[in-house]
């Protein structure tokens, strides 16, 4: 079991996403960090991590994180991150709703030395935001019922 890698992931998740301490990014991520999402390889190193943390914390300021580990090897860890928050600010075209939201992300992290160098991420956040929008619009569109309507 790779305890050092697991500790690095836990500490990064809590320090950055939950606590918003972006000045600590270089303690956790390699300068040439890359993330693979859907059909993209996103480069940007630690500045990419900062922009993602700022984006998440701006839209979900009360963000909490729960981490569950699955498998690890000498330099790779597979894990799940469950995020809980209130959606108060805009996020990629979705206006804040004031509603609670929960989503999960499956992550495979590759470490180089003690730093997270590369990750593969699958997230259900977009699906949850769409479901939230649909639910909110139904709530706002409740029909006015007249007497005698069934």
């Amino acid at each position: 079991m790779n305890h050092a890698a697991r500790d690095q992931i836990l500490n990064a998740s809590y320090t950055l996403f939950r606590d918003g301490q972006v000045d600590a990014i270089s303690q956790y991520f390699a300068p040439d960090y890359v993330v693979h999402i859907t059909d993209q390889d996103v480069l940007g190193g630690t500045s990419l991590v900062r922009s993602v943390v700022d984006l998440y914390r701006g839209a979900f300021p009360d963000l909490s994180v729960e981490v569950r580990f699955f498998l690890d090897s000498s330099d790779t860890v597979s894990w799940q991150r469950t995020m809980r928050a209130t959606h108060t600010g805009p996020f990629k075209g979705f206006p804040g709703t004031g509603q609670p939201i929960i989503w999960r992300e499956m992550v495979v992290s590759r470490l180089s030395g003690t730093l997270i160098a590369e990750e593969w991420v699958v997230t259900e956040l977009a699906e949850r935001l769409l479901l939230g929008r649909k639910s909110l619009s139904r709530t706002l569109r409740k029909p006015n019922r007249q007497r005698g309507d069934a």
Side-chain angles (χ1 to χ4, degrees), residues 26-150:
S26 62
Q27 295 174 30
Y28 303 108
F29 289 88
D32 57 349
Y33 171 81
V34 61
V35 64
H36 309 279
I37 53 172
T38 313
D39 62 349
Q40 299 177 357
D41 297 335
V42 185
L43 307 173
T46 54
S47 62
L48 169 65
V49 177
R50 179 183 284 269
S51 66
V52 169
V53 171
D54 287 344
L55 179 66
Y56 274 51
R57 300 267 315 148
F60 315 106
D62 61 345
L63 190 60
S64 69
V65 182
E66 180 183 317
V67 173
R68 180 174 177 209
F69 292 104
F70 294 105
L71 298 170
D72 58 34
S73 68
S74 61
D75 69 343
T76 306
V77 179
S78 299
W79 55 287
Q80 178 186 50
R81 172 170 53 210
T82 301
M83 313 284 256
R84 291 177 170 79
T86 307
H87 183 195
T88 60
F91 184 86
K92 294 191 173 192
F94 289 90
T97 64
Q99 300 296 312
I101 184 170
I102 300 171
W103 73 96
R104 288 175 183 76
E105 298 178 339
M106 292 298 303
V107 184
V108 176
S109 300
R110 184 183 64 79
L111 282 78
S112 177
T114 61
L115 299 176
I116 302 166
E118 187 172 18
E119 292 184 307
W120 292 260
V121 179
V122 178
T123 181
E124 65 180 16
L125 178 54
E127 177 184 3
R128 294 297 174 189
L129 289 167
L130 286 169
L131 288 171
R133 177 183 283 171
K134 195 174 190 178
S135 173
L136 186 60
S137 74
R138 267 196 302 257
T139 302
L140 296 174
R141 287 188 290 127
K142 286 188 178 176
N144 293 331
R145 295 199 172 215
Q146 304 287 331
R147 275 184 209 232
D149 284 352

